[in-house]
Amino acid sequence: MSEEKKESPPATTGRAAKLARPNVLSLQPYRCARDDYDSGILLDANENALGPTSLPSNSLDPYDNSMELERYPCPYQRGVKQLLCDYRNGKGTVDNGGIQPENVFCGVGSDEAIDLLIRIFCAPGCTTGGGDAIMITPPTYGMYKVCANVNDVEIQSVPLTADFDLQIPEILQAVTPQTKLLFACSPGNPTAKSIPLSDIRKLASSPSYHGLVIVDEAYVDFSSTHSATSLITEFDNVVVLQTLSKAFGLAGIRCGFAIGPTDVIQLMNNIKAPYNVNKLTSDAAVNALKNTALLEKNVKAVLEQRAIVAKELERLDFVVKVYPSDANFLLFRVKQKADELYKTMADRGIVSRFRGRELHCNECIRVTIGTPEENRKYLEMLKIIYGELTK
């Protein structure tokens, strides 16, 4: 019998019950076959017992179907969650025993978590003058706005300072009773700057704001700032988003997490698709979380290259500013023609990203730290193309 059948009933108390949409709170989650049984002769889920018609390429010869791809995956990914908790608890200073699997939602990248949080806590109605709202702090990750628009939710905005810091008094003055989610990207994208945990504490503890503080930590493993997961056992309104796409180098498997209070996480599990994380993704995630020594080796290598690329950019007379970085990329400003520079380089085979349309990012380009050879070629072409465009 599957232990996942022991998942808690819908949250009826706590912060989540006060904030969530009534229809979500009363929802009876879909019960899938693997909620009840996951071993024995399984004739309950209309799977094909004859086996899969294909396997991953490296499992075809010799044939290896040890993952039993003809069977549905575990609905709650407890093995992945436990490994994530073990790693994060070992990295931080978390009180009360640290985060547990019950504090973790596992989904299709952190984008699924962003969408679910908005659907759970924000009533639609922006286009008709009603509904709830989210708060963002541009320049920031674009999916917060996309998901809010898709769900017809109002977008409130208090920009970062020109130095990419939160304006906490202004944020707390701007929130309304309809503000259910406040997104703080740390390290930021495209800013590459971490938000001090002291700032997150101020937002989470303020009597002026009663919603959830969502800390998006896609790049946290490249930062010297401690993860906000250390706040999960202290505050009932902090949710942290993480992903295996960046430091773990697994963007192709689409695996991300929301880490937060158990009542919030339970609601996310209640409304997610029954089998949102597939077995191939789960297998790769487990292997990655068991091999964190390689993760840390790769992070060290990226940080070393980041310092080299930043130093080389600073030497260029047409580079006005190289912003400090807590991520695996650099944001820098050139004197002119940043958009043309980006496009011409991309057309010749080296692709970065123009960020000049973002607030405070005039004439800015964002470049990911690649291999030493990729970085060398980028810098060489950058000098050549800029010279061509400005001669």
Side-chain angles (χ1 to χ4, degrees):
M1 183 173 290
S2 170
E3 65 179 6
E4 274 69 48
K5 73 183 184 64
K6 299 176 184 177
E7 290 284 324
S8 305
T12 55
T13 61
R15 181 79 66 132
K18 295 176 182 178
L19 293 173
R21 297 165 59 190
N23 60 308
V24 173
L25 288 173
S26 63
L27 175 74
Q28 288 298 317
Y30 175 81
R31 287 191 64 79
C32 57
R34 295 300 155 258
D35 276 319
D36 297 318
Y37 297 93
D38 59 8
S39 61
I41 297 177
L42 299 173
L43 304 176
D44 56 345
N46 300 334
E47 300 155 327
N48 188 337
L50 300 182
T53 57
S54 183
L55 292 172
S57 297
N58 59 2
S59 298
L60 288 170
D61 187 15
Y63 186 91
D64 178 10
N65 185 32
S66 57
M67 283 189 282
E68 297 185 311
L69 295 185
E70 72 275 17
R71 301 297 179 188
Y72 285 114
C74 168
Y76 300 107
Q77 301 295 326
R78 291 190 65 86
V80 175
K81 293 177 183 179
Q82 185 63 64
L83 288 168
L84 178 74
C85 290
D86 292 344
Y87 181 63
R88 292 305 181 201
N89 289 339
K91 292 287 287 183
T93 53
V94 186
D95 297 327
N96 302 322
I99 55 172
Q100 304 301 322
E102 292 73 24
N103 296 113
V104 181
F105 167 83
C106 185
V108 183
S110 53
D111 291 337
E112 181 183 12
I114 293 167
D115 183 60
L116 286 182
L117 286 166
I118 292 176
R119 288 162 55 195
I120 290 169
F121 293 103
C122 298
C126 176
T127 54
T128 56
D132 291 319
I134 69 167
M135 172 71 72
I136 61 172
T137 59
T140 192
Y141 183 44
M143 281 303 295
Y144 314 140
K145 183 179 288 189
V146 169
C147 289
N149 283 329
V150 168
N151 288 286
D152 195 22
V153 167
E154 179 187 353
I155 301 163
Q156 301 170 338
S157 177
V158 174
L160 300 175
T161 68
D163 292 325
F164 299 144
D165 293 318
L166 291 178
Q167 300 190 78
I168 293 179
E170 290 81 357
I171 290 171
L172 295 176
Q173 186 175 4
V175 295
T176 67
Q178 287 71 45
T179 313
K180 297 298 183 66
L181 305 175
L182 193 166
F183 286 94
C185 195
S186 178
N189 178 12
T191 70
K193 187 171 187 176
S194 293
I195 298 172
L197 288 186
S198 58
D199 282 1
I200 303 301
R201 286 178 179 276
K202 290 175 184 176
L203 295 171
S205 61
S206 172
S208 302
Y209 176 58
H210 304 289
L212 300 181
V213 179
I214 314 299
V215 187
D216 191 342
E217 292 188 339
Y219 301 95
V220 69
D221 294 294
F222 301 105
S223 174
S224 59
T225 299
H226 283 302
S227 169
T229 53
S230 61
L231 305 179
I232 297 301
T233 57
E234 181 178 350
F235 294 99
D236 67 351
N237 61 341
V238 173
V239 177
V240 178
L241 306 181
Q242 295 186 350
T243 180
L244 299 187
S245 295
K246 307 301 181 182
F248 283 87
L250 288 169
I253 72 168
R254 305 306 297 129
C255 185
F257 309 97
I259 306 164
T262 55
D263 56 348
V264 173
I265 299 305
Q266 183 58 49
L267 288 179
M268 297 181 75
N269 282 329
N270 288 352
I271 74 165
K272 74 175 183 68
Y275 305 108
N276 59 328
V277 177
N278 68 72
K279 283 188 174 183
L280 300 175
T281 290
S282 179
D283 185 64
V286 165
N287 290 337
L289 289 164
K290 286 181 177 179
N291 191 18
T292 54
L294 179 58
L295 162 73
E296 293 176 6
K297 176 184 175 183
N298 288 348
V299 167
K300 182 174 183 290
V302 169
L303 297 184
E304 289 172 352
Q305 281 297 303
R306 187 181 73 189
I308 291 170
V309 175
K311 187 174 181 179
E312 291 300 313
L313 287 171
E314 288 168 349
R315 289 177 175 173
L316 301 176
D317 59 2
F318 59 86
V319 173
V320 177
K321 183 178 180 66
V322 180
Y323 286 88
S325 176
D326 295 314
N328 67 333
F329 61 86
L330 290 165
L331 183 73
F332 66 96
R333 175 176 287 115
V334 296
K335 290 181 177 178
Q336 58 179 318
K337 299 189 176 182
D339 197 11
E340 282 185 75
L341 179 59
Y342 143 74
K343 288 179 179 176
T344 306
M345 290 185 67
D347 289 341
R348 298 191 192 180
I350 298 183
V351 186
S352 57
R353 197 146 187 202
F354 174 65
R355 298 282 78 182
R357 297 183 185 88
E358 302 285 336
L359 184 66
H360 304 317
C361 296
N362 183 51
E363 298 292 355
C364 280
I365 292 173
R366 190 193 73 192
V367 61
T368 306
I369 302 303
T371 65
E373 180 66 8
E374 289 172 334
N375 298 333
R376 183 186 64 78
K377 289 181 178 179
Y378 178 81
L379 291 164
E380 287 179 356
M381 184 179 285
L382 182 72
K383 289 181 277 189
I384 292 169
I385 302 301
Y386 191 85
E388 291 178 4
L389 294 174
T390 57
K391 65 182 179 181

